[in-house]
Amino acid sequence: MAVVGAGAAGALAAVQLCEAAGRRRIPLDLVLVDPAPEAGRGTAYATEVPEHRLNVPVGGMSCYPDDPGHFRRWLCRHGESTVTAADFVSRYRYGSYLADTLGRAAIRAHGTVSVRRLRTRATGCADAAGERLELRLADGGTITADSVVLATGPAAGRAGWAPPELVASDRFVPRPWMPGALDAVGESDDVLLVGTGLTAVDLALTLDRPGRTVHAVSRSGLLPQPHAVAPLPPVPPPPGLAVLPFHRLRRELMRHFAATRRAHGDWRPALDGLRPEIVRLWQGLTHDERAEFLGRDATPWNVHRHRMAPSTAEAIARARATRRLQVHAGRVTAAGPCDDGGLVVSLADGRELRVGWVVDCTGPGLRADAGGDPLWSGLLSDGLAVPGPLGIGVSTEGGRLLDAQGCLKRPLFTLGAPRRGELWETTAIPEIRIQAEEVAEAVLEPLTSAPRPVRRRPTDQFGLPLSTHAAAAASFRCGLTRVITVRAKAAESFARATELDPGFALGHAALALLGHECGADVDVARELADAQRSVRERGDERERSFVDVVTRRIRDREAHAGAVGEGTGDGDTALIHHLGRFPADAFVLGIAVPTIAFSGITDLDGTLALDLVERTASAYEGHWFHTSLLSFVRQEQGRIEEAGELARSALAAQPASGHAVHALAHVHYESGEHRTGRDWLDGWIGGQGRGAVHRAHFSWHVALHELALDDSAAVRRRWFAQLAPGQVNGVRALVDSGSLLWRARMSRSWAGRVPVDGVLDTVARDLVERPATAFTALHSAVALTAAGDLPALRRLRTHAAGADPVQREVVVPLCSALEAVLEEEWATAVRELRGLLPSLRRVGGSAAQREVVEETLLYALVEAGHSDTARHLLEQRLDRRASPLDRRRLAGLSL
């Protein structure tokens, strides 16, 4: 497979070929032919001038049509953590992104796809034996390929506007982007730019300096319009435009733009909303109507469609205001030397401009061979390609070149600028990336249509088939074992599975879920997009349902995180439906039950999780994993003795089962067996628990026992050794370390100020003040109260008021109660905390975790002087379980 051109279009085509061939395990030798030193840059993205910015915002420049946030995330990982989808970054950065993305795609497909570059030019293409093609290279070599993609970019212009005496002058720069083209321009030389489009804008920024005047001339004298600083959403055009004759289409569009301006104060949303329809509208025009558009409307269209970044527009405006940039409407008619060695240029209206240099900024030619490219010239002269409509580009069908007989005989493809006559809008990344995906599909389709031998599929450890090969399946099983035992490095196992088989949908979906819910270091959106694409190509009904569950779950959580309403709840619905059909899917069952690894389903009373565990029992036949989950839900029901028996049974079969350990930790706590629980769990952490993930949570359980035993010195030692920042970070520090400090303070087991500020420093501020779930929000409120940060606590309350129902109805009053605690309004705190207790179960988590609110109430009761109520609460707790701490507090109230 040969790709001619390694600029943006070539890089995007190569990325899609690597991805598609890797997923389908199609062996591919991919050769990129381009003399440039680095792939991905081409002319557009080779400029190192920081003022040269993209004219499309970051959110529209992803390499992947199904993953619009990919470029923004790449920028965040490469030093621009504050960048947003609406920003306009430098073009050089985008070239780096293309090169890096191509390199990563090649690495992911390694073993199936080999990628190599030839730093030379393709000068010709001809038929070879066996329906193959032969590329002739400038260095004298040849390549024989099964398919060829021509990703040559826009053809260079020929400066047909320039008078002969100007073309002959050594003060004329016909190709300003060639290396060193402007090196001879003196510091004080005035310059004339012929053309006022985006090329002229970039050069005006490059050449702008005090003491120099830059002139720009074009027939219209119009510069590109700027993008809006705060863009509005697109406004769709009225229906039925495609069937209108051109004069009516033009009138309806003008009305649409005017109506949008009246309604929104801006015409841009109308044009942005029209963009998905442009190809269909262009292809619906007759030959004469297209010619009319080119003669009458192409210039104003380009001025409004291809816009400047806001910062670029500001710089251009400053240059014009100081007269360092002067824009003229006119046409160059003559040019000649002047006494100072420069040029005097005459315009059609009689004006003369004296400049040191003239630069051609009229942009690329419309013909495929406009710049004299021998490759395209040869294809057209040999009949392997024919000019497109109105002579623009070449004729194609779905990206495949039509020959002189109008046939698709050869595996010869193109994308981007050569398809302009067919599509009109085809030179921007949002269009080219879709074409790259379509070309990759068309190139590989003949290789995937042949029937493959049927092989018995490998299975996971619960007997469910996996659509992959044995090696990838082994890695997936290893990852699943680590998930269900709550062990570390599950993500590494799933990543290995996708490296072995890039088209393994379950591996990608598992990585996406671990990244989203457990903080694994993966690109969640990219893995999710890979899972969705892969499962369409190769996945059975169970695997499609699994990917759907993960997709909906992630989207639900993102809706809550963005505070855009209540979310859809689709994730829980899909999960329950999936388990009804595939009860042996242990991964999904583990997601559903809120034990320690995942947040579970958002069930208001906890009965759904119990019901799911009970309904799936027959599929597991007493397997230790299912027994571990059942143990956890039994202790939540208060069936403590039964829960303990189940947990011990599971641990006898699998001593590393984190779910069973977690359940038994709760059993010990709720039954008041604090010394036994402390010693047993401490020993497990130092033994079988060494490889456990969430070890901090197990340490938190030990600390709870030590707190209940009224051993404040042990609590402090435990905190500094296993729960302090550096040992624990992120949401785990917020939930475990922060809450422990607050409980220690409320029980007067920690002398002096608790070191909660260090905990908050390890957590992203957005996660603290804009949490996605009510469970996280509860612990954010507790940590902020421990830190005494009243303004942040109020910001959290404001966020919760606009989030999901549980945050609105539970977290908002909790924040109000804790504000009263900080302001020492004890009567208010007592009233609001007591009212909260019945609804706390709705936030999720365990009873032991939610108990932090009861601890706060007990503290507030004592501070408010309500000793009798505090005594009654302590007596109830002691009836439920033994606690030296509560006995000490009760004794203190009697004094």
Side-chain angles (χ1 to χ4, degrees), residues 482-694:
R482 292 179 178 278
V483 167
I484 64 178
T485 53
V486 199
R487 310 291 285 179
K489 299 190 180 298
E492 287 83 345
S493 294
F494 293 132
R496 177 59 179 160
T498 59
E499 288 171 8
L500 292 168
D501 180 4
F504 184 23
L506 287 193
H508 290 297
L511 281 170
L513 187 68
L514 292 182
H516 188 263
E517 293 214 10
C518 305
D521 185 18
V522 299
D523 187 336
V524 174
R526 180 75 251 131
E527 295 297 341
L528 186 60
D530 286 342
Q532 292 165 341
R533 189 188 304 114
S534 298
V535 85
R536 287 194 298 268
E537 297 173 353
R538 172 167 39 104
D540 63 18
E541 191 173 0
R542 195 269 303 194
E543 290 166 323
R544 289 193 294 273
S545 179
F546 182 97
V547 172
D548 183 59
V549 166
V550 173
T551 300
R552 292 174 185 272
R553 189 169 179 83
I554 289 173
R555 287 176 180 168
D556 270 3
R557 297 306 189 270
E558 287 174 347
H560 289 317
V564 294
E566 301 183 6
T568 63
D570 283 352
D572 290 347
T573 302
L575 185 151
I576 294 165
H577 180 64
H578 178 91
L579 284 174
R581 299 167 64 205
F582 310 105
D585 196 330
F587 205 140
V588 176
L589 184 60
I591 297 170
V593 181
T595 60
I596 187 172
F598 298 99
S599 56
I601 55 176
T602 54
D603 177 18
L604 300 189
D605 59 10
T607 59
L608 258 181
L610 169 63
D611 184 51
L612 286 174
V613 174
E614 291 183 334
R615 281 196 287 117
T616 56
S618 61
Y620 292 89
E621 299 179 339
H623 190 278
W624 61 263
F625 168 64
H626 189 273
T627 303
S628 300
L629 298 184
L630 184 59
S631 172
F632 185 83
V633 297
R634 287 287 184 252
Q635 65 83 26
E636 280 291 293
Q637 289 179 294
R639 295 161 64 172
I640 301 300
E641 185 175 345
E642 182 183 354
E645 291 175 357
L646 289 167
R648 293 182 184 95
S649 172
L651 287 168
Q654 174 51 271
S657 173
H659 290 297
V661 171
H662 189 216
L664 192 54
H666 280 279
V667 167
H668 285 143
Y669 184 74
E670 297 300 338
S671 60
E673 297 175 357
H674 299 302
R675 286 185 172 80
T676 301
R678 175 197 62 191
D679 295 343
W680 173 80
L681 189 52
D682 209 12
W684 184 86
I685 291 172
Q688 288 284 349
R690 285 185 180 275
V693 71
H694 304 308

Side-chain angles (χ1 to χ4, degrees), residues 698-711:
F698 295 119
S699 296
W700 175 82
H701 272 282
V702 180
L704 279 195
H705 287 308
E706 292 168 336
L707 199 59
L709 290 168
D710 205 15
D711 190 346

